[in-house]
Amino acid sequence: MALKSFVFMVVSLVITIKTFHVSTLGACPKCGNMEVPYPFSTDDTCGDSRYKLYCNNNGVLEFQSAEGFSYKVLSIDLAAQKLIIKPPDLVQDDDMCRTTDFSSEGLRLDENLPFNVSTRNTVILLNCSDNLLRSPLNCSSNSLCRVFEGKMLEGRNNACKSRLCCHYLKDSHMTSYMIRVRVGGCTAYTSVVDIQPQDPADKWNYGIELQWMPPN
Ligand SMILES: *[C@@H]1O[C@H](CO)[C@@H](O)[C@H](O)[C@H]1NC(C)=O
Ligand SMILES: *[C@@H]1O[C@H](CO)[C@@H](O)[C@H](O)[C@H]1NC(C)=O
Ligand SMILES: *[C@@H]1O[C@H](CO)[C@@H](O)[C@H](O)[C@H]1NC(C)=O
């Protein structure tokens, strides 16, 4: 009898602990060298599933766009509720000026998720069509895209050079859910967080800063 009730107690204790664990999921384990703080979730045993990140097989933490394109997470600032993802690479092809996310038309965030593009990003657009001249973007000969082109495309990505290019600050007048590239617009881009125009382009902080709304 005593043994029976002891077993029962142990079993119910285990069940209680399990239930408790499921209802208050903790932080996920590290991904490679990166901490994955709460509310981020790399699988359904930890974090909050609306804040999905992916830990790929190489231990690289990634964020996925609405189209499922993956961007490496460079840093997470928990206090500021901001993370920085790596802008897509330029396709290494002398006949093509495209970013690797061109087929998903650049970066688009799922508007139902608690992320948006912060207002500290300066977006540099390459190989733009003349239509862009009628936009409020800065496509002048002293646009920051020319500084980028001069320093960062040196000796490569010839297809992106000497074409119309533009830059803009992703401020509150813009949609905060996408950075778009397409034929008839611009076909490649990069982004710089908190740009310091007086610094040389190889010292800029290349990244796309996203903001998240905390879970309530
Ligand atoms: C540049 O953009 C135009 C139209 O937007 C596109 O047709 C062309 O293929 C692009 N150039 C390169 C080199 O990718
Ligand atoms: C375009 O950007 C450059 C560099 O920031 C700036 O000097 C210039 O005044 C801007 N031009 C326009 C038309 O806004
Ligand atoms: C982006 O998200 C932040 C944090 O939730 C919010 O404060 C801000 O208003 C949002 N910006 C836009 C343009 O929706």
Side-chain angles (χ1 to χ4, degrees):
M1 199 60 174
L3 182 66
K4 245 189 179 169
S5 57
F6 176 72
V7 168
F8 177 76
M9 256 175 61
V10 170
V11 167
S12 47
L13 190 67
V14 167
I15 289 171
T16 312
I17 289 172
K18 272 209 146 152
T19 316
F20 180 73
H21 184 73
V22 168
S23 57
T24 59
L25 294 182
C28 294
K30 273 188 171 183
C31 174
N33 296 324
M34 288 272 292
E35 298 283 348
V36 182
Y38 191 85
F40 290 105
S41 174
T42 46
D43 71 61
D44 53 18
T45 63
C46 57
D48 178 327
S49 59
R50 295 185 315 141
Y51 300 82
K52 194 109 199 68
L53 293 179
Y54 298 80
C55 184
N56 79 13
N57 295 336
N58 301 321
V60 176
L61 192 61
E62 294 177 331
F63 176 86
Q64 273 190 9
S65 70
E67 273 76 21
F69 192 89
S70 296
Y71 301 83
K72 182 181 180 187
V73 175
L74 297 176
S75 62
I76 296 176
D77 184 341
L78 197 55
Q81 286 154 8
K82 287 173 174 170
L83 74 154
I84 297 179
I85 58 175
K86 187 176 179 290
D89 290 324
L90 289 169
V91 170
Q92 295 298 317
D93 179 336
D94 268 349
D95 301 319
M96 231 195 270
C97 179
R98 289 185 179 182
T99 33
T100 46
D101 63 359
F102 181 84
S103 60
S104 33
E105 296 200 331
L107 171 69
R108 192 170 66 79
L109 305 182
D110 183 341
E111 296 190 29
N112 298 314
L113 294 179
F115 296 96
N116 66 26
V117 179
S118 91
T119 53
R120 294 206 308 155
N121 295 288
T122 294
V123 178
I124 290 173
L125 297 164
L126 303 173
N127 186 38
C128 299
S129 87
D130 292 347
N131 301 334
L132 272 286
L133 291 172
R134 292 192 295 272
S135 75
L137 309 190
N138 186 328
C139 307
S140 68
S141 59
N142 56 9
S143 166
L144 296 172
C145 67
R146 293 295 170 204
V147 180
F148 172 80
E149 178 184 34
K151 185 93 187 171
M152 303 305 283
L153 300 183
E154 186 78 37
R156 55 204 176 100
N157 298 111
N158 286 316
C160 290
K161 280 191 236 171
S162 313
R163 298 174 189 260
L164 184 64
C165 72
C166 309
H167 85 261
Y168 65 97
L169 180 66
K170 194 89 185 160
D171 64 14
S172 51
H173 298 101
M174 309 255 174
T175 160
S176 57
Y177 295 100
M178 63 170 142
I179 296 175
R180 195 167 185 213
V181 285
R182 63 192 170 91
V183 169
C186 309
T187 59
Y189 73 98
T190 191
S191 168
V192 184
V193 180
D194 191 21
I195 202 164
Q196 304 296 320
Q198 70 278 8
D199 286 351
D202 57 351
K203 295 284 186 295
W204 290 349
N205 182 20
Y206 292 93
I208 306 170
E209 188 180 72
L210 307 180
Q211 235 175 317
W212 74 84
M213 204 188 293
N216 41 32

